[in-house]
């Protein structure tokens, strides 16, 4: 139901920022439960997991150990990935400690080389997620209506099995 980090990076709103995966590429199939803008280093306790963290890095430390701890804390709560805009704090590349920690913890770390409207990113990503949830609710309602009708009609097991095969598209 949730889009993956790779699917989110393919959205036009993020593509215009010229995303580049600098670490944790193996985690690009992680589901994104929410897109969250966070400009503080101690954000991890406020997250639930599955977030794609968007940051300009302005409030992140330059100290290597603190950056490694930042990534470890995010990995500990299960973030889907971190997107850093290379415009305000770091202009050309991320500190090696940040990149190494992301690789070590398997956290996708993506840079944007162009200024990106994070509000547009969160609207697009969170809209995609909500749309998927609505589709799932509609599908669940169709299943409920179908099996309620079968129950009321006193359907035989073979009829029920045929309906299951039709709904799941598996014979």
């Amino acid at each position: 139901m949730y889009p993956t980090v790779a699917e989110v990076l393919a959205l036009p709103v993020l593509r215009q920022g010229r995303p580049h995966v600098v670490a944790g590429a193996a985690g690009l199939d992680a589901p994104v439960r929410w897109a969250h803008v966070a400009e503080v280093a101690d954000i991890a306790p406020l997250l639930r997991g599955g977030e794609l963290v968007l940051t300009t890095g302005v409030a992140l430390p330059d100290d290597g150990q603190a950056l490694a701890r930042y990534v470890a804390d995010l990995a500990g709560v299960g973030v889907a990935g971190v997107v850093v805009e290379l415009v305000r704090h770091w202009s050309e590349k991320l500190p090696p400690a940040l990149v190494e920690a992301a690789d070590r913890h398997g956290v996708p770390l993506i840079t944007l080389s162009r200024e990106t409207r994070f509000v547009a990113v969160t609207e697009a990503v969170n809209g995609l997620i909500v749309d998927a949830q609505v589709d799932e609710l509609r599908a669940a309602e169709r299943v409920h209506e179908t099996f309620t009708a079968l129950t009321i009609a006193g359907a035989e097991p073979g009829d029920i099995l045929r309906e299951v095969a039709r709904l799941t598209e598996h014979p």
Side-chain angles (χ1 to χ4, degrees):
M1 163 174 69
Y2 295 117
T4 65
V5 174
E7 291 168 336
V8 167
L9 293 179
L11 292 171
V13 69
L14 269 167
R15 280 198 333 249
Q16 70 86 26
R18 296 187 184 144
H20 178 68
V21 179
V22 296
L28 291 175
D29 61 346
V32 176
R33 189 185 58 75
W34 204 249
H36 189 81
V37 179
E39 293 297 352
V40 294
D42 60 348
I43 189 67
L46 303 177
L47 302 176
R48 293 183 20 207
E51 294 89 357
L52 182 64
V53 176
L54 309 169
T55 182
T56 62
V58 295
L60 295 181
D62 287 314
D63 172 70
Q65 283 186 321
L67 287 172
R69 188 171 41 259
Y70 169 73
V71 172
D73 290 348
L74 292 176
V77 296
V79 299
V82 179
V83 176
V84 182
E85 185 186 78
L86 292 178
V87 176
R88 288 174 178 76
H89 186 67
W90 298 296
S91 61
E92 296 195 20
K93 64 180 185 171
L94 297 176
L98 186 62
V99 175
E100 291 163 10
D103 256 339
R104 184 170 48 257
H105 291 284
V107 174
L109 181 61
I110 299 101
T111 59
L112 300 174
S113 60
R114 297 176 71 188
E115 187 172 57
T116 303
R117 293 183 62 220
F118 283 170
V119 68
V121 174
T122 59
E123 285 173 346
V125 173
N126 296 341
L128 188 65
I129 292 165
V130 169
D131 288 348
Q133 290 172 333
V134 168
D135 289 346
E136 186 175 292
L137 287 172
R138 285 185 181 133
E141 180 63 21
R142 281 192 302 275
V143 168
H144 174 73
E145 289 172 357
T146 298
F147 287 101
T148 298
L150 288 169
T151 301
I152 290 171
E156 296 293 321
D159 296 329
I160 294 170
L161 189 55
R162 273 189 293 284
E163 197 56 36
V164 168
R166 185 186 71 75
L167 287 171
T168 62
E169 298 178 356
H170 293 284

